[in-house]
Amino acid sequence: MSKYIHSVFSATIIIGMILLPLSGCKKFLDKKSDNTLAIPHKLEDLQALMDNYGTINSRDILSGEVSADDYYLTENDWMAMPNQGDRRMYTWTSDYLFDYAFNDWSNGFSLVYYANTVLEKIGDIKRGKDNAAVWDNVKGQALFIKAKAYLQLAAVFCLAYDSSSSGADLGLPLRNTTDFNEQSVRAPLRETYNEITTDLQAAASLLPEQPLHAMRASKAAAHGLLARTYLWMRKYNEALKYADSCLKIKNGILDYSSLSASKTYPLPPFNSEVIYSSMAPPPRPLSIVKAKIVNELYSAYGSNDVRKQLFFRPNPDGSVGFRGSYNGNPALFCGPATDEMLLIHAECSARNEDLITAGKDIDELLKKRITGYTGSQFTDKKQALQFILTERRKELLMRGLRWMDVKRLNKEGANITLQRTIGAAKYSLPPNDPRFALPVPEDIIAISGMQQNPR
């Protein structure tokens, strides 16, 4: 573990040499690179680059969570937001949602740049008998980081995946080099998701089953993100396959009754369910003092559901705020975890009408969540899916997943309309509305000439 800690400190120096110019980029995807930059040439340097937890693991994309329906803001809190973009995002306004330069788009593509730096430089290092395991691990981590960034970007900036239209729907600009001179052109959504799944499958073939630490990617993490990706693509057989593969490597479930609700943040970081530690500080609208959990969701937790005590903090006005992050602090956890894998496995089993397996999955989870839980009794596919999807929403609250769940479930005919009220004004987002793909920051469009999302 001492080598791991040393690599984290080394990363600070290396990242300063490599990526400091990014903070001054006129635009992230179009700034020319500086050929005088010091670039690492050793495997340990490349590993150190990816051990920078503050960047690699702490810049997840949460604009989708801001846009989703698990919370609300009071009129006073909404009016007090210092940033107009936050107010516009909350009400699903069509444009001008993001700060200049530093936003979810730039955060996502900065991770792509990190990963591409490693993938380019590792090609200059000969893989041999003495370094094969380390070489494979480093490359696998870079592929994983890149795929994770693309998946989160696609969830926010692209429409829900639909196999019938994915060849024409707008995807992401797929960057495969560190050359800022490369023109930014949006690939079709099908090609974007193909890139994600291809990189994750390659990563899984290279990574060890268990990482040195949950800050690093592993085979289990790659399988977990593949399960999430295929679920979002509504390719449920593939999602089932990879959730199963992930759970065969890591399957621990926390007994919530053993945790103390008296702690400010009761869920411990790096706990036994965490497959890969990935998070972000909550955006302003999602801060614990402002974001109130909608009553429809809060009331779905029974009195004997331990999550009701662990996940929420009561407010003086009778509302509740969320405190159940797997980071053990205000930051919102977005990485794959075993509870998510069980829920994917259960949902996909139910969709295949395997109600026995779906019931076993749900029982395994809920017996560690609900005092006196006696087991599920699924009688048909529709009833099972309704139960499982409700538990999914309750269990995976504030994990950066709800926005894509609404999008994909509306493709399944769920007919979920999002609604908000600010004073006398009412706002709504109907199923499959183009605004479910948030606008690419306008300054990026202006300088790159990329196509903006239709409004």
Side-chain angles (χ1 to χ4, degrees):
M1 191 66 184
S2 61
K3 291 183 180 179
Y4 173 77
I5 295 171
H6 178 267
S7 69
V8 173
F9 285 114
S10 301
T12 304
I13 300 172
I14 294 167
I15 286 160
M17 293 189 293
I18 299 174
L19 295 176
L20 180 60
L22 295 185
S23 64
C25 285
K26 184 178 179 183
K27 282 295 153 287
F28 185 83
L29 290 182
D30 296 274
K31 176 78 173 180
K32 293 183 179 180
S33 59
D34 182 351
N35 291 331
T36 66
L37 289 177
I39 302 295
H41 292 279
K42 297 179 181 179
L43 287 174
E44 55 263 38
D45 294 338
L46 296 178
Q47 181 61 68
L49 178 62
M50 295 185 293
D51 281 340
N52 181 18
Y53 184 77
T55 296
I56 299 297
N57 303 75
S58 303
R59 291 189 182 179
D60 282 351
I61 294 173
L62 289 171
S63 294
E65 201 65 61
V66 172
S67 304
D69 60 341
D70 285 340
Y71 78 104
Y72 68 93
L73 299 175
T74 66
E75 182 179 8
N76 287 340
D77 283 339
W78 182 80
M79 291 291 292
M81 287 284 160
N83 185 287
Q84 185 181 22
D86 290 333
R87 297 194 295 274
R88 293 172 72 83
M89 188 178 296
Y90 180 77
T91 56
W92 308 301
T93 307
S94 295
D95 53 13
Y96 295 99
L97 309 186
F98 295 99
D99 291 336
Y100 177 86
F102 296 103
N103 50 54
D104 276 351
W105 181 271
S106 63
N107 282 343
F109 277 100
S110 70
L111 292 183
V112 173
Y113 184 86
Y114 271 81
N116 281 336
T117 298
V118 174
L119 292 170
E120 285 182 357
K121 301 316 297 180
I122 201 169
D124 298 332
I125 301 173
K126 184 177 180 181
R127 181 184 184 275
K129 182 178 180 180
D130 293 338
N131 71 351
V134 175
W135 195 100
D136 288 351
N137 194 359
V138 168
K139 184 175 181 179
Q141 288 176 66
L143 289 166
F144 176 90
I145 290 166
K146 186 176 182 180
K148 178 177 79 77
Y150 278 149
L151 182 61
Q152 292 190 347
L153 286 162
V156 168
F157 294 103
C158 302
L159 294 172
Y161 189 92
D162 188 326
S163 59
S164 65
S165 62
S166 61
D169 291 338
L170 288 172
L172 301 171
L174 301 176
R175 313 290 297 192
N176 292 312
T177 74
T178 57
D179 182 5
F180 284 104
N181 294 307
E182 181 183 324
Q183 185 178 2
S184 299
V185 178
R186 297 184 70 173
L189 191 58
R190 180 179 300 159
E191 187 176 334
T192 298
Y193 273 89
N194 284 344
E195 177 94 357
I196 293 166
T197 56
T198 298
D199 282 352
L200 286 173
Q201 287 162 357
S205 71
L206 295 167
L207 290 166
E209 288 196 349
Q210 299 285 357
L212 179 62
H213 191 279
M215 295 178 185
R216 289 185 180 177
S218 63
K219 189 183 298 292
H223 286 167
L225 277 197
L226 278 164
R228 182 186 292 182
T229 302
Y230 282 121
L231 185 79
W232 288 358
M233 296 173 75
R234 295 160 48 230
K235 294 188 175 183
Y236 297 116
N237 287 335
E238 289 88 345
L240 178 66
K241 168 188 169 183
Y242 282 105
D244 186 68
S245 297
C246 180
L247 289 167
K248 285 179 178 175
I249 299 172
K250 187 173 178 66
N251 54 24
I253 296 294
L254 275 172
D255 185 350
Y256 275 17
S257 65
S258 68
L259 303 177
S260 172
S262 64
K263 294 183 178 180
T264 303
Y265 297 100
L267 280 298
F270 310 123
N271 64 63
S272 60
E273 292 185 15
V274 173
I275 299 169
Y276 177 77
S277 182
S278 187
M279 48 72 68
R284 285 173 290 257
L286 296 181
S287 86
I288 191 172
V289 298
K290 291 183 172 61
K292 276 78 172 172
I293 301 302
V294 294
N295 187 60
E296 164 208 355
L297 177 56
Y298 180 67
S299 62
Y301 298 85
S303 59
N304 59 340
D305 192 327
V306 185
R307 292 173 295 190
K308 197 166 191 174
Q309 288 74 51
L310 298 180
F311 279 9
F312 305 109
R313 184 191 73 176
N315 295 319
D317 63 359
S319 65
V320 295
F322 176 74
R323 60 170 185 157
S325 171
Y326 272 23
N327 284 290
N329 57 41
L332 297 180
F333 175 83
C334 303
T338 54
D339 57 348
E340 180 190 357
M341 294 302 110
L342 269 178
L343 286 160
I344 291 175
H345 201 271
E347 179 183 341
C348 297
S349 295
R351 290 187 184 279
N352 284 341
E353 301 193 49
D354 182 358
L355 303 186
I356 293 176
T357 298
K360 288 179 178 178
D361 292 334
I362 285 295
D363 291 350
E364 183 176 351
L365 177 67
L366 293 187
K367 69 183 180 182
K368 299 294 182 68
R369 302 296 192 253
I370 299 174
T371 303
Y373 179 74
T374 57
S376 60
Q377 294 181 343
F378 296 152
T379 56
D380 58 58
K381 175 179 175 179
K382 181 178 179 181
Q383 178 249 355
L385 280 174
Q386 183 177 10
F387 186 92
I388 292 165
L389 291 172
T390 298
E391 288 305 319
R392 177 178 171 86
R393 188 180 181 189
K394 289 160 62 180
E395 176 72 17
L396 305 180
L397 178 60
M398 292 293 170
R399 299 254 192 114
L401 302 175
R402 176 61 181 171
W403 183 243
M404 268 305 302
D405 275 351
V406 172
K407 290 163 72 166
R408 74 175 175 92
L409 292 173
N410 275 339
K411 286 288 184 179
E412 296 284 357
N415 200 32
I416 302 169
T417 295
L418 307 188
Q419 296 180 328
R420 282 177 174 153
T421 300
I422 299 292
K426 296 187 182 298
Y427 303 88
S428 66
L429 188 65
N432 305 313
D433 190 285
R435 289 173 292 166
F436 272 106
L438 271 58
V440 176
E442 283 75 11
D443 49 334
I444 295 293
I445 295 295
I447 198 168
S448 68
M450 283 190 299
Q451 187 175 349
Q452 181 59 280
N453 288 324
R455 314 319 289 155

